[in-house]
Amino acid sequence: MSLQTEKSKTMKIIKAFIILLVITFASCDVDYYDNPNDPTTPPSNAVFNDAVFQIIDDTRSVWFGGGRFTLVTMQYWHQSEYGDEDRYGYRESMREYWEDFYYNLENLRQVIVLNEDPATRDAASAYGHNEAQIACTRIMMSYMFNIMADTWGAIPYWSYGTQDEQFQALRITGEDEILSPAYAPQEKIYADLLSELQGAYQQLNNLPANASGFTSGDNIYDGDIDKWMKFANSLRLRIAMKVREANQSLGQQHIDDVINSGVHFTSNEDNAIFQYETVDKNSAPAYNQWYVGNRSDFAVGNAFIQLLKGENVPDHDGNPLTDNPFLGTQDPRLQIYAQDNNQTSYPYGSRNPDIGDYVGMPIAENSAIAAAFVWESLPGTAIIERPDFEMTLMEYAEVEFILSELNGWDQTHYEDGVRASMEKWNNMDSEHDISGDIDTYIANLPAASETTVLAQKYIALYMEPTTAWSEYRRTNTIFPDILVMPGDQYSVYVPSIDSTFNYQFNPISDVTDLPFRMRYPQQEQTLNADNYQEAVGWLENGDTQRSRLWWDVD
């Protein structure tokens, strides 16, 4: 069989699978016709609900953003049983999340189809105003495409509002079927993401006064149109901050438009939050890892623990390796973010019966070294013991830090961002009340500056590691001072046994920094070879982790 025939066959299988997903995901509340076992019109709210669930689950899974990829890359967590991903040795199975992301995007596109097709739009309107459903879907598609572009760079892309010959993704049916889609250049993708979010905001803003959002199936805002508008503009701020690094006028244009509108997150009540359920099958990824899968593969990273404790990471001679801007001040969020190493949340009982303390997991050279370190602090109980953990897509604290930066590192926005983060986490943890510590901590913070604002933003983005990774690449200013960098020799002190352990961070890949991107999945090299090769040619160092993205100019 020829390569072209095999490729065509494979793509048709993928297409059929996507279409099947669109139907079967919405297996509840479907309209049955002649055959009750063959649903022909899935309800738009069910398709939206499941697509959003799959997006959050996939982007925060322990194999992608929630564990072995961006959480360990940004040193929030490290693996306590393995060592490869901590040192940027990402597995092919992680890169193949690409496929899942496109499945999810196609299911979201079907929500738009159901609300526009004359044959289905009236039925879909039972679940909310057609235009409102379309606008919310555009926002979620922009959220997903932004993550993909931030991860790989140029990708096959689809747009609701822009007709461009290079936007060829998700054309899997009809006369314009494209099974080997072109990759859109990064500068076009980000410009269109901003346009899509602006268009979705305007679409919601132009709705009749009595229009409703999703009447059910919206597990983020429960159909609240005003909050979806704030999310659209806040997400536009996040993306515009990156874009203006490479295209000052375009990024600033959208920043000014959002600020002048006054419509963006203004309190924690506006946070874009996806809350999981208490049943195991719909539980949060971290809980599922620990208490359904009975695996304890992760612990809070050493550099992050030291930052929160108000201490530096030392080198082998005991000299400061990092430069903690909050030296001498312990962050009250430490007890929420991590457990002291004497707590018993480890599924098989306590491994650390000695004096409890917060000890960060080192970056291990191999599995044996990782397993030999048994004093690590696990992630906080509010994170791994709650099946209904509230996963944050974007929050008010991030907007405040953006506003501080836009206003010359403004002190008030800086303090408001720290307060918002601390109050959010305090409300999420029923075991630790840090409300009485917030004012004191903020009063003792060093003044707002590029260093302090970005460091606090990094702390606040805990459990939002993909955004933190983008922030590292966008700024590349303070992070090398608070993280352990490739080649560094560092030490970890364990108070309970009064011992120090020495390590060196040796990445598996040939990088001298954190990775700038993830390599494309191998299947693209065979299934979409010509377009893959064109996209690789746009990268400064080819399909490697050393190729900077378009907006990463620092």
Side-chain angles (χ1 to χ4, degrees):
M1 181 181 293
S2 70
L3 177 61
Q4 185 63 35
T5 302
E6 182 64 27
K7 180 170 84 168
S8 177
K9 177 182 177 183
T10 303
M11 293 305 296
K12 288 182 183 296
I13 291 172
I14 291 173
K15 181 182 83 169
F17 182 55
I18 291 175
I19 294 172
L20 178 64
L21 287 176
V22 170
I23 294 174
T24 58
F25 276 171
S27 58
C28 299
D29 297 325
V30 295
D31 294 327
Y32 296 114
Y33 291 102
D34 296 333
N35 183 352
N37 297 315
D38 183 20
T40 57
T41 307
S44 58
N45 65 332
V47 179
F48 181 82
N49 182 41
D50 196 88
V52 172
F53 172 80
Q54 294 296 331
I55 284 172
I56 307 306
D57 227 37
D58 287 342
T59 56
R60 308 306 176 88
S61 75
V62 294
W63 286 102
F64 196 78
R68 290 180 172 86
F69 182 26
T70 47
L71 264 175
V72 300
T73 296
M74 290 309 300
Q75 301 184 20
Y76 289 121
W77 288 3
H78 288 310
Q79 297 184 91
S80 55
E81 302 292 339
Y82 308 101
D84 288 356
E85 288 80 16
D86 293 42
R87 299 184 296 130
Y88 316 148
Y90 307 131
R91 310 180 201 194
E92 181 61 22
S93 57
M94 298 161 66
R95 292 153 60 188
E96 288 176 352
Y97 267 85
W98 166 286
E99 233 177 85
D100 295 335
F101 295 159
Y102 279 112
Y103 294 157
N104 300 335
L105 285 163
E106 171 58 17
N107 282 320
L108 284 176
R109 191 184 71 85
Q110 288 299 319
V111 177
I112 295 175
V113 171
L114 290 168
N115 278 280
E116 287 195 330
D117 189 333
T120 57
R121 62 176 286 115
D122 287 345
S125 68
Y127 308 108
H129 195 285
N130 296 118
E131 295 297 316
Q133 293 186 54
I134 292 170
C136 294
T137 302
R138 293 172 73 183
I139 295 167
M140 285 307 305
M141 293 187 81
S142 297
Y143 175 83
M144 183 72 256
F145 271 125
N146 179 58
I147 289 176
M148 294 184 69
D150 282 357
T151 300
W152 286 286
I155 56 172
Y157 179 74
W158 181 88
S159 174
Y160 174 81
T162 303
Q163 298 299 316
D164 189 300
E165 62 180 11
Q166 290 184 294
F167 294 172
Q168 297 183 2
L170 309 184
R171 297 186 187 180
I172 60 172
T173 59
E175 296 180 357
D176 63 345
E177 175 184 86
I178 298 177
L179 298 183
S180 298
Y183 288 56
Q186 296 177 59
E187 56 267 36
K188 281 192 174 184
I189 292 172
Y190 286 102
D192 194 72
L193 288 173
L194 293 172
S195 178
E196 276 296 284
L197 290 167
Q198 184 177 38
Y201 164 77
Q202 292 171 341
Q203 197 171 11
L204 291 172
N205 195 40
N206 292 336
L207 288 172
N210 61 346
S212 64
F214 280 99
T215 56
S216 62
D218 174 5
N219 197 30
I220 298 176
Y221 287 128
D222 197 24
D224 190 323
I225 291 173
D226 290 338
K227 289 187 177 180
W228 275 105
M229 290 169 62
K230 290 183 177 183
F231 182 31
N233 271 357
S234 299
L235 184 56
R236 186 151 56 114
L237 269 182
R238 173 192 284 177
I239 296 173
M241 293 294 288
K242 291 180 298 195
V243 167
R244 77 171 189 161
E245 300 295 312
N247 187 331
Q248 173 71 29
S249 61
L250 178 63
Q252 196 62 49
Q253 169 193 331
H254 283 275
I255 289 169
D256 292 343
D257 187 61
V258 170
I259 300 301
N260 292 336
S261 75
V263 180
H264 51 71
F265 292 166
T266 57
S267 76
N268 280 332
E269 294 298 313
D270 299 328
N271 292 350
I273 298 288
F274 184 92
Q275 183 161 356
Y276 282 87
E277 299 178 1
T278 55
V279 294
D280 284 352
K281 69 176 182 177
N282 292 331
S283 61
Y287 174 88
N288 202 280
Q289 160 89 5
W290 261 270
Y291 294 101
V292 180
N294 288 321
R295 297 187 60 156
S296 180
D297 294 354
F298 304 98
V300 185
N302 173 62
F304 190 50
I305 287 286
Q306 293 300 99
L307 178 66
L308 295 171
K309 289 173 71 173
E311 300 175 4
N312 285 315
V313 176
D315 64 16
H316 291 176
D317 296 323
N319 300 314
L321 178 67
T322 56
D323 186 10
N324 192 333
F326 314 114
L327 201 62
T329 302
Q330 181 164 303
D331 193 314
R333 285 167 291 189
L334 174 61
Q335 60 192 299
I336 298 176
Y337 285 2
Q339 301 177 45
D340 71 62
N341 65 355
N342 193 31
Q343 289 185 255
T344 57
S345 291
Y346 184 67
Y348 313 113
S350 175
R351 294 187 294 178
N352 309 291
D354 300 312
I355 300 171
D357 196 5
Y358 294 96
V359 179
M361 183 71 197
I363 303 169
E365 289 288 304
N366 54 52
S367 299
I369 292 175
F373 192 88
V374 295
W375 302 275
E376 70 271 17
S377 289
L378 297 181
T381 57
I383 298 167
I384 66 173
E385 292 190 6
R386 279 190 55 195
D388 58 342
F389 179 73
E390 300 166 352
M391 198 69 76
T392 302
L393 285 71
M394 189 171 183
E395 61 186 291
Y396 166 55
E398 181 183 348
V399 172
E400 283 297 326
F401 292 128
I402 290 173
L403 294 176
S404 177
E405 181 175 350
L406 290 173
N407 288 278
W409 311 107
D410 175 80
Q411 181 74 20
T412 300
H413 286 301
Y414 162 60
E415 292 183 5
D416 287 347
V418 175
R419 183 179 301 278
S421 172
M422 299 182 82
E423 289 178 347
K424 183 197 85 166
W425 281 100
N426 188 61
N427 290 335
M428 291 173 65
D429 189 341
S430 60
E431 293 185 17
H432 304 93
D433 183 3
I434 64 171
S435 58
D437 301 320
I438 295 176
D439 287 341
T440 301
Y441 179 75
I442 293 176
N444 289 312
L445 281 174
S449 66
E450 182 178 27
T451 296
T452 58
V453 173
L454 292 178
Q456 282 294 335
K457 191 175 187 180
Y458 169 72
I459 293 171
L461 287 172
Y462 183 54
M463 301 309 295
E464 298 178 67
T466 303
T467 302
W469 184 38
S470 295
E471 280 297 291
Y472 174 86
R473 292 171 290 168
R474 180 181 74 87
T475 61
N476 202 21
T477 304
I478 58 94
F479 290 97
D481 294 330
I482 61 176
L483 302 180
V484 175
M485 301 303 292
D488 281 349
Q489 294 182 336
Y490 67 99
S491 299
V492 179
Y493 175 66
V494 181
S496 61
I497 58 173
D498 192 25
S499 296
T500 297
F501 297 85
N502 294 329
Y503 301 91
Q504 181 166 342
F505 181 17
N506 295 314
I508 291 174
S509 58
D510 59 340
V511 298
T512 57
D513 201 336
L514 270 63
F516 297 139
R517 59 182 293 276
M518 177 183 272
R519 294 178 58 213
Y520 291 118
Q522 290 180 357
Q523 64 189 20
E524 282 294 288
Q525 301 176 34
T526 53
L527 297 179
N528 198 9
D530 291 343
N531 292 313
Y532 162 80
Q533 290 295 343
E534 181 181 30
V536 169
W538 296 335
L539 295 165
E540 60 177 348
N541 292 307
D543 189 13
T544 68
Q545 296 175 354
R546 294 180 290 106
S547 287
R548 292 182 183 271
L549 300 188
W550 166 71
W551 47 262
D552 182 5
V553 298
D554 289 332

